[in-house]
Amino acid sequence: MRHPIRHLQAPVENVKMTEPSKVLHIRNVGQEISEHDLLQLAQSFGVVQKVVMLRAKNQALLQMQDIPSAISVMQYYTTVQPSVRGRNVYMQFSSHQELTTPDQNGQMRRLSAEQELLPNRILLITIHNPLYPITVDVLHQVFSPHGFVEKIVTFQKSAGLQALLQYASQLSATQARNTLQSRNIYDGCCTLDIQFSNLQELQVNYNNERTRDFTNAALPSEQSRPGNPGNNIMSSLFGEGGNIYNMQPGGPRPAGGYQQTGGHPPLGMNSYQVPMGGASAAAAAFGGVLPPGITGTNDRSTLLVSNLVPEKIDADKLFNLFSNYGNIVRIKILHNKPDHALIQMGDGFQAELAFNYLKGVTLFGKRMDVNFSKHAQINPSPDTSDFSSSPLNRFNRNAAKNYRYCCAPTKMIHVSSLPADIAVDEIRDHLSGHGTVVNAKVFESNGKKQALVHFESEEQATEALVCKHASQVQNNTIRLAFSKLASV
């Protein structure tokens, strides 16, 4: 691979040795030159605190840690002509003694040297040579393999198309920057120039192709369409745009002639090839990496559950258990085989989650068998329980968050929607009929009372959830879910 920077022995042109400053002014910075390229010019002389690209003027500002480091850079390049990607660039001391950085509202804010040295979980991304449309969906597909992307905001500036992208962790942002810096999203175009932003939190008001908050599926799109209730799973995840990649069931929707011109798939697509629909949208909630045992390719949404205990099970109890992994459409207990039941989930991905996490789980002393049914759906009938409009379905709102909570049954139960004056002993009494409660704790989160209840075994906790989810405590309909916490 050709190194982008060459040092040529040649006279220096137009270099001004003005009053020394730790900020260097660099001219003739072409669009092909990235921040990373400029860092390589100076980083051997000391710590580079900041690089600001002035794309509209083909210039850049580079701030060293101190003035001696900046003088060392200038002294070296008085005898060596700096050349980046075949282009000569020219340096001088800047009249600025300290760089300031615009915040999200365009206000200038001065950062301390320590703050500027620290990586951030928010990245500022500039797209150079954008021959194809770059939307939130494309950026998410490129960046999500490196960690859970919480928010994306795209905007147009004099430097070109830019975006702010917020990860759940600083580590993910650092890994993405190190891996993707200077790479092309499409062959020969849409080059990524990635810097750490100085923002602490992105503000997102709409979920659409320009802005997206993956932690808040309830945000409206900027233009609400009449007659669209938006109550399906994809709408609850990502607003009216459908699924996260803005694609129809038949395949990618052409964008600006992308498919007609034979464009290549976005960078990173080959590492995550799942049919575009409920599965791929939900997988984004797992940071772009599917959970162990989940393929994301299943399209069968109906499950056959067997080896049940007929005298202790009914449709409501099956709903309480299986609704931890997706929305329930219908449930039918078979009359000729009362220890068998059909359960239709919201889509194939949710059915695969339930299959993966519940096969072999012990319920009322017997190990359940869970398999995919040959029936594509359960037809409505008098002996079928319909849950399609049930307010207890967990994945109509905050679906992305609920997917992240999916796990196999554990000993720990999380209880929510509790009365404000609930006592821990009342919770114990309400659930202890299903097993030995090792420990319990009532706490408050976001102004609402919740509880954690630790049972002696997974089987006891599963029975408590099956029997007491959606039960009444002081006229409150409480909600139970498995928790991944190991202790209270």
Side-chain angles (χ1 to χ4, degrees):
M1 178 178 175
R2 184 172 63 88
H3 196 279
I5 297 176
R6 294 179 293 115
H7 299 308
L8 304 178
Q9 298 290 335
V12 179
E13 298 178 19
N14 300 325
V15 175
K16 298 179 182 178
M17 295 296 290
T18 58
E19 180 182 353
S21 165
K22 63 180 180 179
V23 180
L24 302 176
H25 179 208
I26 307 174
R27 295 178 293 110
N28 200 35
V29 178
Q31 295 297 315
E32 76 277 13
I33 295 176
S34 70
E35 172 202 0
H36 181 70
D37 296 334
L38 297 181
L39 282 173
Q40 291 188 57
L41 283 178
Q43 62 186 5
S44 60
F45 300 94
V47 174
V48 179
Q49 290 185 323
K50 195 165 199 63
V51 176
V52 175
M53 308 296 287
L54 306 174
R55 291 294 183 187
K57 299 180 179 180
N58 283 343
Q59 299 176 13
L61 295 170
L62 183 149
Q63 180 173 309
M64 302 298 292
Q65 184 177 26
D66 50 37
I67 290 178
S69 298
I71 292 175
S72 297
V73 175
M74 288 299 300
Q75 286 177 339
Y76 179 77
Y77 289 120
T78 56
T79 57
V80 175
Q81 170 66 58
S83 179
V84 183
R85 296 186 182 271
R87 177 191 289 262
N88 289 348
V89 297
Y90 308 104
M91 289 188 186
Q92 65 188 62
F93 288 120
S94 170
S95 58
H96 299 284
Q97 295 299 312
E98 187 89 17
L99 287 181
T100 54
T101 305
D103 65 16
Q104 193 173 2
N105 297 317
Q107 300 298 315
M108 300 305 288
R109 184 162 70 91
R110 187 177 299 278
L111 297 179
S112 69
E114 287 141 341
Q115 286 176 307
E116 289 181 346
L117 285 169
L118 289 175
N120 188 5
R121 67 189 181 119
I122 300 178
L123 299 175
L124 173 61
I125 304 160
T126 304
I127 312 295
H128 300 304
N129 195 22
L131 297 184
Y132 301 116
I134 302 298
T135 64
V136 161
D137 304 320
V138 172
L139 289 172
H140 187 277
Q141 195 168 2
V142 170
F143 283 83
S144 62
H146 303 283
F148 179 63
V149 176
E150 294 184 335
K151 302 173 184 179
I152 300 177
V153 175
T154 63
F155 48 93
Q156 193 75 33
K157 290 287 188 181
S158 58
L161 176 65
Q162 293 187 304
L164 289 163
L165 184 145
Q166 177 174 312
Y167 277 104
S169 72
Q170 177 187 303
L171 181 62
S172 296
T174 303
Q175 178 182 329
R177 185 178 185 273
N178 292 341
T179 304
L180 299 176
Q181 173 63 22
S182 300
R183 292 186 65 183
N184 294 331
I185 296 179
Y186 299 98
D187 284 351
C189 66
C190 303
T191 305
L192 294 168
D193 185 358
I194 308 170
Q195 305 177 41
F196 290 114
S197 169
N198 65 314
L199 299 177
Q200 298 305 306
E201 184 75 25
L202 289 184
Q203 298 298 319
V204 176
N205 298 320
Y206 301 104
N207 283 337
N208 54 38
E209 66 177 10
R210 298 178 304 280
T211 66
R212 190 75 52 82
D213 185 342
F214 299 98
T215 68
N216 186 358
L219 288 178
S221 67
E222 197 165 2
Q223 294 179 345
S224 180
R225 294 178 297 184
N228 180 9
N231 61 355
N232 58 64
I233 295 172
M234 290 306 99
S235 292
S236 68
L237 265 171
F238 304 109
E240 294 180 6
N243 62 55
I244 189 170
Y245 298 114
N246 205 20
M247 295 182 180
Q248 301 297 334
R253 182 164 60 198
Y258 159 62
Q259 285 208 309
Q260 291 87 336
T261 57
H264 295 270
L267 198 165
M269 179 180 280
N270 291 334
S271 64
Y272 176 57
Q273 291 182 320
V274 176
M276 298 305 176
S280 52
F286 295 99
V289 180
L290 292 165
I294 303 296
T295 67
T297 60
N298 173 64
D299 59 1
R300 293 172 291 175
S301 59
T302 303
L303 298 170
L304 175 64
V305 184
S306 59
N307 207 32
L308 299 169
V309 180
E311 59 272 19
K312 291 188 176 182
I313 202 70
D314 58 29
D316 288 330
K317 290 177 180 176
L318 287 173
F319 172 89
N320 291 347
L321 179 59
F322 281 78
S323 63
N324 280 270
Y325 308 99
N327 285 341
I328 307 299
V329 180
R330 297 184 184 94
I331 295 178
K332 181 177 182 177
I333 295 178
L334 307 184
H335 289 301
N336 57 339
K337 294 181 179 180
D339 64 337
H340 286 59
L342 290 171
I343 301 176
Q344 183 181 341
M345 307 290 292
D347 60 28
F349 184 80
Q350 296 179 355
E352 189 177 17
L353 285 174
F355 167 78
N356 184 71
Y357 288 127
L358 292 179
K359 59 184 177 183
V361 166
T362 301
L363 179 60
F364 299 120
K366 297 185 72 174
R367 287 174 61 87
M368 286 193 310
D369 289 329
V370 182
N371 292 286
F372 293 104
S373 171
K374 63 181 180 181
H375 300 286
Q377 62 182 23
I378 303 173
N379 294 323
S381 67
D383 58 351
T384 296
S385 299
D386 194 313
F387 295 93
S388 58
S389 59
S390 172
L392 293 172
N393 267 320
R394 305 172 193 249
F395 290 77
N396 284 328
R397 295 177 66 85
N398 295 324
K401 180 175 73 172
N402 285 322
Y403 278 122
R404 295 200 297 276
Y405 291 155
C406 286
C407 63
T410 65
K411 299 178 183 180
M412 188 76 70
I413 294 294
H414 176 261
V415 189
S416 59
S417 301
L418 288 167
D421 59 348
I422 192 76
V424 67
D425 288 342
E426 191 172 355
I427 294 292
R428 283 178 175 268
D429 293 343
H430 190 71
L431 300 179
S432 60
H434 303 284
T436 302
V437 175
V438 177
N439 201 358
K441 174 185 178 182
V442 173
F443 61 96
E444 187 171 303
S445 178
N446 297 324
K448 298 178 181 180
K449 280 296 178 69
Q450 302 179 34
L452 288 170
V453 182
H454 188 189
F455 282 90
E456 196 171 52
S457 69
E458 287 90 350
E459 181 181 353
Q460 294 174 2
T462 302
E463 181 179 323
L465 182 144
V466 163
C467 295
K468 291 298 169 67
H469 175 67
S471 61
Q472 296 289 309
V473 174
Q474 297 182 22
N475 297 321
N476 280 39
T477 302
I478 65 171
R479 298 186 176 229
L480 276 64
F482 295 114
S483 171
K484 297 179 182 180
L485 294 176
S487 61
V488 174

